[in-house]
Amino acid sequence: MGMYQSFARSYDSLMDNIPYDEWVEYIKGLLTKYGAEPKEGRLLLELGCGTGNVTERLAAFGYDMIGVDNSEDMLMIAEEKKRENSSSSLYLLQDMTDFELYGTVAAAVSICDSMNYLTEYENLVTCFKLVNNYLDPEGVFIFDMNTKHYFRDTVGENTISEVRDDMAFIWDNSFDEEENMNYLYLTLFQEDKESGDGTYRRFDELHEQRAYEIDEVKKALEEAGMEFVTAFDAFTENPPMEDSERVYIIAREHGKRIE
């Protein structure tokens, strides 16, 4: 079963602890700081856009949004939000390592640790090459990543379970320190509302993410021809610390401008 397919409908409920408004304010601040403040007609790409929680908020700031995701089910929900918001967001069913746009964009973002799902270093480089190709000259790329500290020490070998009115879920987490790989096993029990008899359906998902050191990300950006600008401890403009759980990385397009 493909990632997210079984529980796209429940995704927003599962992620209801994320303060999207605050996250998007922070992203807008970074975009503005690095020369891509919101303005009419400014194209912004979001990779791994999921159900459009970030995409539609950025569209409301005035960006012309393009959202790329490899889950058709997630994008169907994003399209519903687009209709509700009367936005002009364009959603594309494509992979982060193999996407095609109609032209270049002013900036690109990737939020909610989508980049950690690129578990092969070569795929990270491939993604960065594509971003570099589709950015305007010196366009900015802002993305976040969960850290090794987060995977190993915060979620570690933990199991989280919760029962709600119409669903129950179990997150079972495991981190392989040798491979820097995090395995998240999700079991979801979802009320079958169509049956009307109170039965629940069970879905199982495996999420694999890799923890990258910032030096590895720098190397991948350089290999892809991009310029590494800086890295921040999430939601601050301070450098990453040993106990940072999430970091934001700022990179720039390199190679298009002719002096």
Side-chain angles (χ1 to χ4, degrees):
M1 185 175 293
M3 188 181 299
Y4 287 127
Q5 285 181 354
S6 65
F7 75 113
R9 283 274 156 209
S10 299
Y11 177 79
D12 288 337
S13 295
L14 289 168
M15 298 293 112
D16 63 4
N17 62 323
I18 293 179
Y20 285 109
D21 289 341
E22 292 170 34
W23 283 26
V24 174
E25 280 286 350
Y26 175 72
I27 296 157
K28 184 183 76 164
L30 291 181
L31 286 164
T32 300
K33 180 184 175 79
Y34 291 98
E37 68 280 358
K39 71 175 186 180
E40 191 176 345
R42 176 157 276 162
L43 275 171
L44 185 61
L45 167 69
E46 184 188 359
L47 293 176
C49 65
T51 63
N53 286 317
V54 171
T55 329
E56 291 304 313
R57 283 170 169 83
L58 287 168
F61 282 135
Y63 292 105
D64 285 354
M65 294 302 301
I66 302 171
V68 167
D69 202 277
N70 65 355
S71 166
E72 189 171 1
D73 292 3
M74 293 285 224
L75 290 180
M76 282 170 62
I77 297 167
E79 289 282 359
E80 289 174 15
K81 291 175 185 169
K82 170 185 171 175
R83 285 192 292 274
E84 288 165 14
N85 297 325
S86 302
S87 81
S88 60
S89 304
L90 172 67
Y91 288 105
L92 301 174
L93 178 63
Q94 298 188 131
D95 194 275
M96 291 193 294
T97 61
D98 187 28
F99 64 89
E100 287 184 51
L101 305 181
Y102 305 115
T104 57
V105 296
V109 297
S110 186
I111 312 302
C112 297
D113 44 271
S114 292
M115 289 290 147
N116 291 103
Y117 283 101
L118 300 178
T119 57
E120 298 290 334
Y121 176 82
E122 292 75 19
N123 287 342
L124 196 64
V125 173
T126 299
C127 176
F128 291 164
K129 280 181 178 174
L130 284 167
V131 172
N132 199 48
N133 182 54
Y134 284 113
L135 278 174
D136 289 343
E138 298 182 13
V140 69
F141 179 33
I142 297 171
F143 59 96
D144 72 357
M145 280 185 156
N146 282 336
T147 63
K148 183 172 182 175
H149 165 70
Y150 172 79
F151 287 130
R152 182 187 60 203
D153 305 321
T154 303
V155 289
E157 303 298 312
N158 292 338
T159 300
I160 300 165
S161 58
E162 192 173 326
V163 178
R164 300 186 181 182
D165 288 344
D166 58 350
M167 68 169 164
F169 62 85
I170 303 164
W171 300 95
D172 194 11
N173 209 78
S174 174
F175 183 66
D176 181 334
E177 192 155 1
E178 277 188 27
E179 300 291 327
N180 280 332
M181 285 290 296
N182 192 71
Y183 301 97
L184 180 66
Y185 303 90
L186 172 67
T187 303
L188 175 70
F189 298 93
Q190 205 169 15
E191 186 179 358
D192 188 349
K193 291 182 178 173
E194 287 181 15
S195 72
D197 60 4
T199 57
Y200 283 71
R201 296 175 67 198
R202 172 176 171 164
F203 300 101
D204 293 282
E205 297 270 349
L206 169 62
H207 293 255
E208 297 176 289
Q209 291 185 291
R210 178 169 165 183
Y212 287 96
E213 301 289 350
I214 289 175
D215 283 347
E216 286 181 287
V217 180
K218 276 187 190 177
K219 184 167 171 274
L221 286 166
E222 285 161 10
E223 272 188 48
M226 294 201 84
E227 175 196 348
F228 171 82
V229 178
T230 192
F232 292 134
D233 179 39
F235 316 119
T236 75
E237 291 188 14
N238 303 323
M241 301 174 292
E242 279 188 20
D243 62 350
S244 293
E245 296 187 349
R246 184 183 296 270
V247 295
Y248 272 76
I249 292 167
I250 321 291
R252 277 201 190 280
E253 186 280 335
H254 186 68
K256 287 196 185 79
R257 184 173 296 284
I258 299 168
E259 297 300 336

